[in-house]
Amino acid sequence: MSERHGFLGPLGQVDGHWVVGNYPHPGRAWLTFRKDGIYQHTRKAEEQLIPWSRFMLFNRFTLGAKYPSKGQYGVRALFFGGARGYLHVTLRHPYEDWLLTFDGHPHRYTLTDMLLFEALLASTINDGEAHRLGDGDWLRRAVEHLTRERPRTTHRIRKAVKEAREL
């Protein structure tokens, strides 16, 4: 059985690794945050490393939508869990829009956790600090701070993420 700690929506520490998605189930997709970049595991057992230096913009996070470009969070994701998730990013060298796909956990995520997760990725990547997501200690401190927060406004979400990033 896997040892799980500190979950913020689909992001969590499992067996000492920071992962997004339902790790480590064969036939499922998940992402691993490593020092050198995001390691993408697909349903077809294909794997790909995307170095942090290629991350230019975090555009959005969608979950549960049949077509990931439409809508933010599908009904299945909000009420049942286990929905497929997508991180929409822009990479450089060469410039391209990229879709990182993962399978959600069987439990549902709270809307607050999903918004905090999205805000943490957006502010970190868009400020040119994507590599910090590969620092397990920094990410642990940020997630611990954010899981204690329950902001209800966009302003409070931004403030909580700023505080977490400064830890």
Side-chain angles (χ1 to χ4, degrees):
M1 177 134 196
S2 297
E3 185 180 339
R4 299 173 183 270
H5 297 286
F7 272 78
L8 183 66
L11 172 66
Q13 191 174 28
V14 182
D15 295 335
H17 304 283
W18 282 97
V19 297
V20 175
N22 200 2
Y23 165 89
H25 298 282
R28 308 293 277 168
W30 72 86
L31 309 169
T32 305
F33 287 12
R34 301 183 347 182
K35 286 194 181 296
D36 49 354
I38 289 183
Y39 202 66
Q40 184 176 25
H41 308 264
T42 67
R43 290 179 170 190
K44 299 174 185 172
E46 297 169 357
E47 298 175 350
Q48 180 177 8
L49 175 68
I50 303 165
W52 293 121
S53 60
R54 289 203 62 208
F55 284 83
M56 190 170 88
L57 291 173
F58 179 86
N59 300 313
R60 69 188 174 284
F61 157 57
T62 56
L63 186 67
K66 184 173 183 182
Y67 301 101
S69 61
K70 297 182 180 175
Q72 275 294 93
Y73 311 111
V75 172
R76 177 179 162 79
L78 291 174
F79 295 109
F80 301 109
R84 186 156 243 208
Y86 309 89
L87 303 182
H88 304 256
V89 298
T90 300
L91 302 176
R92 61 171 65 93
H93 309 302
Y95 292 102
E96 59 187 320
D97 288 328
W98 197 265
L99 194 65
L100 296 160
T101 305
F102 63 91
D103 291 309
H105 299 91
H107 60 275
R108 71 179 196 89
Y109 309 127
T110 68
L111 184 57
T112 301
D113 281 351
M114 289 190 291
L115 293 171
L116 287 168
F117 166 70
E118 181 176 47
L120 177 64
L121 292 183
S123 66
T124 305
I125 292 171
N126 295 348
D127 286 350
E129 297 183 337
H131 65 278
R132 293 183 84 185
L133 297 169
D135 179 347
D137 290 332
W138 177 84
L139 193 54
R140 179 188 46 77
R141 288 190 304 272
V143 168
E144 284 175 355
H145 177 77
L146 292 173
T147 55
R148 290 190 303 265
E149 298 289 319
R150 286 293 154 235
R152 298 291 180 220
T153 65
T154 303
H155 173 72
R156 290 290 302 144
I157 288 170
R158 284 191 199 120
K159 184 178 182 208
V161 168
K162 182 179 182 212
E163 291 169 356
R165 291 185 56 214
E166 292 172 351
L167 294 175

